[in-house]
Amino acid sequence: AGSISLQGSGTLTLQPLGASFTQLRAGDTNPLVFDDDWDFGSLLSGFTLGKAGNTAALTLSRPLAVAGPVQVFGGDLALNAAITAQGDVRLDARGDIVQAAGVAVATQGGSAVYRADSDGSGAGMVYLKDGASVSTGGGHIWMGGGAGTTSWNGLTVGDGAA
């Protein structure tokens, strides 16, 4: 556990060199899973995984605590562990966003934006399984989709349903 440790007090951005991730490790053709091998600590001032247009499915299976905003961009997104942020949490999927049973996403006054179907293909939904929770401590919660964008409460969000 924690064999890949990327810790510090700055912003950490993990993005593919090209348009999308293709694999997690050299020679590994399995889906991209951020599990207990990864240790990001809890002092990061921001965390970004992926970038707009990423088509690779991403699974977050280790709790993530960030002293700032969190952004995750992927094909399908699976949240199997808690995310705690002192800023906004933005989840952007070309397909589905699935938050597992009992998993919490929490901000301390930031907003939570769940944008499925960001490519506008009509194939994306937001699923919160039994006992999953989203809390913002006074921020906004937006769940939807669509390829276009619009402004809502000062946030850039999708322009459609998901």
Side-chain angles (χ1 to χ4, degrees):
S3 60
I4 303 169
S5 182
L6 301 169
Q7 297 185 23
S9 58
T11 299
L12 176 62
T13 300
L14 299 172
Q15 294 181 330
L17 181 60
S20 182
F21 288 118
T22 56
Q23 58 195 26
L24 182 58
R25 297 182 180 108
D28 188 351
T29 59
N30 294 320
L32 296 167
V33 177
F34 289 83
D35 55 15
D36 66 354
D37 286 344
W38 295 84
D39 182 0
F40 299 116
S42 61
L43 299 176
L44 293 174
S45 60
F47 179 80
T48 300
L49 176 60
K51 63 183 177 182
N54 182 35
T55 60
L58 300 175
T59 299
L60 300 176
S61 294
R62 182 176 176 98
L64 179 64
V66 178
V70 172
Q71 297 184 95
V72 181
F73 299 90
D76 289 325
L77 298 179
L79 302 180
N80 296 335
I83 296 176
T84 304
Q86 292 180 9
D88 295 341
V89 171
R90 179 179 185 84
L91 306 173
D92 195 306
R94 296 172 64 90
D96 295 332
I97 298 171
V98 180
Q99 187 171 324
V103 170
V105 171
T107 73
Q108 296 176 4
S111 295
V113 175
Y114 288 56
R115 181 181 177 201
D117 188 31
S118 64
D119 65 355
S121 69
M125 299 280 293
V126 175
Y127 298 94
L128 274 69
K129 302 292 184 165
D130 291 343
S133 65
V134 181
S135 60
T136 62
H140 299 288
I141 298 173
W142 184 91
M143 294 182 186
T149 59
T150 189
S151 181
W152 175 80
N153 285 322
L155 301 168
T156 299
V157 298
D159 65 352

